[in-house]
Amino acid sequence: EEIDCGGECMSCEIRRLRPILARPVTLFRVGERTTALLEFQNPNATYGASEFRYTLTLLGSEGETIHSLERTSFIYPTEIKYMFDAEVGDAPAFAVAEVMIHPESVVWKSISEFPLARTQVRNVRVEFDPVKRQAVVTGAVSNDNPFPLRRANIVGVAMNSFGLPLAASKTLLQDIAPGEERSFRVVIPEILLDTLSERDVKLFVEAGR
């Protein structure tokens, strides 16, 4: 046992890994679109997922499927990852009774094969526009790795005093060279500015090699 089973099989170390966790999805209505903020957590310290697939399904009050989509992503060891999706559909958020999300088809890689991509966010500034009811977040992100980053999604989330998301948005940076610092701008729309301060706006970086 755990030495030689006589054929090819999944390693015992991978078989004992805990699954990727999907937190409850938050839906927002922005103009005519419904958008979603997703949160995944990898509870494993020695393995990340270089790829996994997930299905996001919106159900109505009768259990009918309003909208369904499939995506692929990745997650590093012990990472808590926020993702913003602006293509959830045009059904109003209030018509959605339940949101189902299922991570699957995970490609596990050891931490030596798939280490965390290191980034730093600097010079963050938040400006509120009461006319447009939006927050504009600017700053710079640096690639602190010896390899280029193919993409970096900068996700901005406005949260209330209980730490619950009120609105979110993202911007995409591509092809960041090793040691490079790149400026970014994230516009978070449809928020009640009188309830927010700069400390209520959080940034999360999804960096892909």
Side-chain angles (χ1 to χ4, degrees):
E1 184 177 355
E2 298 193 358
I3 298 175
D4 185 0
C5 65
E8 293 185 3
C9 65
M10 180 185 299
S11 76
C12 296
E13 187 176 13
I14 291 179
R15 194 168 60 245
R16 287 192 290 261
L17 293 175
R18 288 179 287 172
I20 296 171
L21 303 176
R23 301 299 186 188
V25 177
T26 304
L27 299 181
F28 308 105
R29 189 67 172 174
V30 180
E32 298 299 317
R33 295 182 303 169
T34 295
T35 61
L37 181 67
L38 316 178
E39 180 185 349
F40 294 102
Q41 180 179 1
N42 179 8
N44 302 288
T46 57
Y47 274 80
S50 62
E51 182 178 298
F52 68 93
R53 187 172 74 247
Y54 64 90
T55 302
L56 179 66
T57 306
L58 310 184
L59 301 177
S61 58
E62 301 297 326
E64 75 279 13
T65 298
I66 297 176
H67 191 75
S68 182
L69 56 84
E70 287 190 358
R71 295 281 192 270
T72 59
S73 189
F74 60 91
I75 191 166
Y76 296 110
T78 67
E79 183 182 15
I80 297 175
K81 179 174 185 175
Y82 288 87
M83 298 164 57
F84 180 77
D85 196 320
E87 304 298 329
V88 176
D90 55 5
F94 63 80
V96 179
E98 185 180 0
V99 182
M100 300 178 64
I101 186 166
H102 300 292
E104 56 188 357
S105 303
V106 181
V107 180
W108 293 109
K109 298 287 187 180
S110 70
I111 192 170
S112 61
E113 298 175 287
F114 194 60
L116 175 68
R118 299 186 305 276
T119 60
Q120 291 190 56
V121 177
R122 301 186 179 91
N123 304 322
V124 176
R125 183 177 179 183
V126 182
E127 295 182 348
F128 296 105
D129 187 333
V131 176
K132 296 182 179 180
R133 295 179 57 216
Q134 65 186 22
V136 179
V137 188
T138 56
V141 62
S142 63
N143 177 6
D144 295 345
N145 304 280
F147 50 82
L149 294 177
R150 184 164 52 91
R151 68 183 186 275
N153 282 311
I154 315 298
V155 180
V157 184
M159 297 184 173
N160 64 17
S161 58
F162 299 100
L164 300 176
L166 298 172
S169 189
K170 73 174 180 180
T171 192
L172 172 64
L173 305 178
Q174 294 180 299
D175 300 322
I176 307 175
E180 181 184 357
E181 185 171 278
R182 186 85 61 83
S183 298
F184 66 83
R185 181 175 183 268
V186 182
V187 179
I188 306 175
E190 302 292 337
I191 53 179
L192 299 175
L193 301 180
D194 56 350
T195 65
L196 292 177
S197 65
E198 183 173 337
R199 67 176 179 273
D200 298 317
V201 178
K202 311 297 182 183
L203 288 175
F204 304 94
V205 180
E206 180 199 19
R209 61 191 72 220

